[in-house]
Amino acid sequence: GAVVSQHPSRVICKSGTSVKIECRSLDFQATTMFWYRQFPKQSLMLMATSNEGSKATYEQGVEKDKFLINHASLTLSTLTVTSAHPEDSSFYICSIKQGGNEKLFFGSGTQLSVL
Amino acid sequence: GDSVTQMEGPVTLSEEAFLTINCTYTATGYPSLFWYVQYPGEGLQLLLKATKADDKGSNKGFEATYRKETTSFHLEKGSVQVSDSAVYFCALSRNSGNTPLVFGKGTRLSVIA
């Protein structure tokens, strides 16, 4: 069964609204989760690393005030796209790494479309 | 920094053709290497992996061998099917800590009957 649950799978919103995406670890405690973004026909790009109980680490060029990440528990991390604009339309996916390299799990992704 | 380079797509093949998708990497040390597949409308799924030099990962008829001397991890399949149509991502990960995956740009494969 699924190890990572990501919701919603698809969201359409109006420009200027905020959208929250949840990523849940179902089978184990995840101290670290990763958030990626994939624009059409491009690769997954790491946006930020979400650490339980502390501030997320953002990659260069990613606006931390626009993409709010909260990792309040060992099983849940949320990504909030604030004041979304059409250019934020993308596929967002979370990833959890358990232990070493042997176990890497991805959520099913969230397709965000901003009108 | 670490990086992954894979061949540009899209790749269009006829059913039962041989598939090769090239992937090379740049990294210090000994990363683990992965191929992920993304079927239309779905999230990424791990296809195969190799954790050390000369390891061969295999799954669903796909194979890739970790070649440290050429820093490559090319994906191959002897006979593709229409159901193999998807986007394939090569990726690497460090062996220590909670470092995330570094992905290539992805290669879209279309297999026609």
Side-chain angles (χ1 to χ4, degrees), chain B residues 30-48:
Chain B
Y30 300 91
S32 292
L33 302 174
F34 306 83
W35 277 100
Y36 280 82
V37 58
Q38 184 180 23
Y39 297 105
E42 299 182 16
L44 267 74
Q45 303 173 29
L46 177 64
L47 180 60
L48 53 85

Side-chain angles (χ1 to χ4, degrees), chain A residues 10-27:
Chain A
R10 189 175 187 87
V11 59
I12 301 172
C13 68
K14 293 181 179 180
S15 184
T17 60
S18 294
V19 175
K20 180 184 284 188
I21 302 169
E22 291 188 349
C23 182
R24 292 182 182 274
S25 174
L26 301 179
D27 290 349

Side-chain angles (χ1 to χ4, degrees), chain A residues 91-106:
Chain A
F91 185 72
Y92 294 86
I93 190 165
C94 65
S95 173
I96 297 172
K97 185 170 182 175
Q98 180 188 31
N101 282 317
E102 296 305 311
K103 296 189 182 296
L104 295 160
F105 303 98
F106 283 83

Side-chain angles (χ1 to χ4, degrees), chain A residues 20-115:
Chain A
K20 180 184 284 188
I21 302 169
E22 291 188 349
C23 182
R24 292 182 182 274
S25 174
L26 301 179
D27 290 349
F28 56 87
Q29 295 179 333
T31 56
T32 302
M33 296 184 182
F34 307 106
W35 286 96
Y36 289 86
R37 177 171 57 186
Q38 182 185 22
F39 290 110
K41 300 184 180 180
Q42 296 187 29
S43 182
L44 287 163
M45 297 298 296
L46 180 67
M47 297 176 65
T49 301
S50 167
N51 299 298
E52 187 269 335
S54 63
K55 292 183 179 180
T57 303
Y58 291 82
E59 295 299 303
Q60 189 173 12
V62 178
E63 300 175 59
K64 61 180 181 180
D65 294 332
K66 181 170 185 60
F67 299 99
L68 302 179
I69 292 174
N70 184 288
H71 193 158
S73 76
L74 288 170
T75 59
L76 174 64
S77 176
T78 61
L79 168 65
T80 301
V81 183
T82 62
S83 187
H85 291 283
E87 57 266 31
D88 298 324
S89 298
S90 184
F91 185 72
Y92 294 86
I93 190 165
C94 65
S95 173
I96 297 172
K97 185 170 182 175
Q98 180 188 31
N101 282 317
E102 296 305 311
K103 296 189 182 296
L104 295 160
F105 303 98
F106 283 83
S108 56
T110 299
Q111 183 65 52
L112 171 64
S113 298
V114 184
L115 305 178

Side-chain angles (χ1 to χ4, degrees), chain B residues 13-70:
Chain B
L13 295 173
S14 297
E15 208 166 22
E16 299 184 1
F18 185 85
L19 168 71
T20 299
I21 300 178
N22 290 336
C23 172
T24 57
Y25 68 91
T26 300
T28 55
Y30 300 91
S32 292
L33 302 174
F34 306 83
W35 277 100
Y36 280 82
V37 58
Q38 184 180 23
Y39 297 105
E42 299 182 16
L44 267 74
Q45 303 173 29
L46 177 64
L47 180 60
L48 53 85
K49 65 182 180 183
T51 57
K52 61 182 187 294
D54 299 325
D55 268 2
K56 177 184 283 187
S58 61
N59 185 26
K60 300 181 180 179
F62 291 89
E63 294 184 341
T65 301
Y66 190 146
R67 302 288 188 196
K68 186 154 181 67
E69 63 276 13
T70 55

Side-chain angles (χ1 to χ4, degrees), chain B residues 3-17:
Chain B
S3 66
V4 175
T5 303
Q6 62 183 103
M7 62 186 289
E8 295 284 336
V11 174
T12 302
L13 295 173
S14 297
E15 208 166 22
E16 299 184 1

